[in-house]
Amino acid sequence: MTAAPGSLWRNREFTLLWLSQALSDLGSAIAALAVPLLLLGSGYSPAQAGLVGTVGLAVIVLGRLPAGVLADRVDRRRVMLACDVVRLLAFGALGVLAMRGAATLAVVVLVTVIAASAQACFGTAEHSALRTIVPVAQLPAAVARNEARSYATSLAGPPIGGLLFQLARSLPFVGNAATFLLSLIGVALIRRPLQQPRAEQPAGHASALAEGLRFVFGNPFLRAVLLIAAPLNFAIQGIIFTLIVTLQRHHTPPSVIGTVETIVAVGGLLGALVAPTLQSRVRLPVLIRGICWTAAAFLACSALFAESVAAAVPIAAAVFLGPASNAALFAHQAAITPDRLQGRVVSVVITVATSVASSAPLLAGTLITAWGSAVAILFFATAVAVSAVAATVSRGIRVMGPVEELAG
């Protein structure tokens, strides 16, 4: 049986799954810094190093929908085990090649594509499995802890990757491989099935994906999630990019510019820690609407400091509120979605949100060139206001109740 409400950390299966994903996220964060450092140190141009990062992000976005189908058709634990084995071998090989000075651009691109594909599959399977090992009443707390994990690993990964690279070029990749080995062990130790019994013969891939799309777009609450999550991700990405570009144009030292994302990540981590308290004290519809409108106001305020690192503070305040909203929305999604559809529903929601966000840097650059940084920031803040309007008028949000009421 799963642990009783109030004792989530005593839930052995959740703890193992959480630790496995934390190690997986940490490995990805280490690689995110180490890969461009390796390429730049090997004589490749910044454009080539940036291209590798773009390829990795594109593969993750494109891989989400197939990964959702896979997570609903195949044993989810086996999917995660296979992903860890693949990444362990890929980064272990890259570490050996880096040690020998043979890590060419083609090799790094290949490893990046393999790792990104595995990351999309592992993450989707992990999200899909949450509902089967966590009681409904604990879903908001579980999602909040997942949010904290994501922010914590994004803070810890780059410094670890930089330190290891400074010691030896191969060490970040060997260390990355080690995180996947530990993740593999954690997943292997999970005893309970990560999906409910599947009595029906699974449909073909196209039909299975179509079924997931129909479920998402046919559900008022899930349609509202798309209208809330996509603009929020889009705006945060756009404003952070705008601020970084603006600071660079004003010759701000790179070390100072780097503090922007650190400040924002700290805001998200702190928000994830207090998210369960907020959810327990405020009705979910009120919480989500209030978070959206408050985030829009904070992001608009950052336009007043567009040429200073101080702009990161109101951005961090907006991000501070994000985990509580995400925990409420994704916990409710997990509670209302049949297990056989979890992977596809999660993949559709994440794909829509990340696809929209991927266009933010290009649009931000265009707005900065045409009208300046303050206008660009206000544009993105307006996008959040649109999500706030959606949260305010949406019937799917208005009728939300405590997830405990959905147990059964």
Side-chain angles (χ1 to χ4, degrees), residues 240-301:
I240 290 176
F241 183 84
T242 298
L243 182 55
I244 290 173
V245 169
T246 303
L247 293 175
Q248 286 177 327
R249 295 174 74 179
H250 287 80
H251 309 291
T252 304
S255 59
V256 177
I257 295 176
T259 62
V260 170
E261 293 199 40
T262 300
I263 292 171
V264 173
V266 169
L269 176 59
L270 295 175
L273 295 176
V274 304
T277 301
L278 287 175
Q279 293 177 75
S280 65
R281 296 184 178 181
V282 184
R283 290 180 58 249
L284 293 182
V286 175
L287 176 67
I288 293 171
R289 292 167 186 161
I291 286 172
C292 290
W293 283 112
T294 305
F298 275 127
L299 293 177
C301 287

Side-chain angles (χ1 to χ4, degrees), residues 44-353:
Y44 293 101
S45 69
Q48 289 171 313
L51 174 63
V52 173
T54 300
V55 167
L57 292 173
V59 170
I60 292 175
V61 172
L62 294 174
R64 281 290 182 184
L65 292 179
V69 175
L70 184 68
D72 288 340
R73 290 172 61 94
V74 183
D75 183 277
R76 290 167 187 160
R77 174 164 43 192
R78 292 181 181 177
V79 170
M80 289 188 281
L81 289 172
C83 290
D84 278 338
V85 170
V86 167
R87 289 184 290 184
L88 168 61
L89 295 175
F91 279 103
L94 181 58
V96 172
L97 292 173
M99 186 184 305
R100 297 178 176 178
T104 64
L105 178 63
V107 168
V108 173
V109 169
L110 177 61
V111 170
T112 298
V113 169
I114 292 172
S117 302
Q119 182 178 343
C121 292
F122 187 105
T124 303
E126 186 261 348
H127 279 294
S128 306
L130 191 64
R131 176 65 182 85
T132 63
I133 60 174
V134 175
V136 170
Q138 291 182 333
L139 282 173
V143 177
R145 289 184 184 179
N146 288 348
E147 291 273 315
R149 175 194 69 202
S150 179
Y151 284 109
T153 53
S154 69
L155 282 171
I160 293 173
L163 175 61
L164 293 175
F165 190 86
Q166 188 173 355
L167 295 174
R169 287 187 176 188
S170 61
L171 275 182
F173 309 108
V174 174
N176 196 2
T179 66
F180 297 127
L181 175 60
L182 294 172
S183 174
L184 174 68
I185 294 171
V187 174
L189 289 173
I190 296 175
R191 297 170 183 164
R192 295 187 59 209
L194 299 182
Q195 66 281 320
Q196 295 176 2
R198 297 167 181 168
E200 299 179 4
Q201 186 70 21
H205 291 281
S207 298
L209 179 57
E211 184 183 14
L213 290 169
R214 286 195 300 271
F215 186 86
V216 171
F217 290 101
N219 185 286
F221 170 77
L222 293 175
R223 289 200 303 268
V225 170
L226 296 179
L227 292 174
I228 294 170
L232 281 170
N233 285 333
F234 171 73
I236 295 296
Q237 293 294 325
I239 290 178
I240 290 176
F241 183 84
T242 298
L243 182 55
I244 290 173
V245 169
T246 303
L247 293 175
Q248 286 177 327
R249 295 174 74 179
H250 287 80
H251 309 291
T252 304
S255 59
V256 177
I257 295 176
T259 62
V260 170
E261 293 199 40
T262 300
I263 292 171
V264 173
V266 169
L269 176 59
L270 295 175
L273 295 176
V274 304
T277 301
L278 287 175
Q279 293 177 75
S280 65
R281 296 184 178 181
V282 184
R283 290 180 58 249
L284 293 182
V286 175
L287 176 67
I288 293 171
R289 292 167 186 161
I291 286 172
C292 290
W293 283 112
T294 305
F298 275 127
L299 293 177
C301 287
S302 66
L304 299 173
F305 313 98
E307 299 178 0
S308 167
V309 175
V313 176
I315 298 173
V319 172
F320 174 85
L321 300 169
S325 175
N326 287 343
L329 292 172
F330 281 94
H332 201 80
Q333 170 270 312
I336 67 172
T337 303
D339 179 73
R340 65 183 184 82
L341 289 169
Q342 286 285 348
R344 284 164 284 177
V345 169
V346 166
S347 68
V348 169
V349 173
I350 295 178
T351 297
V352 171

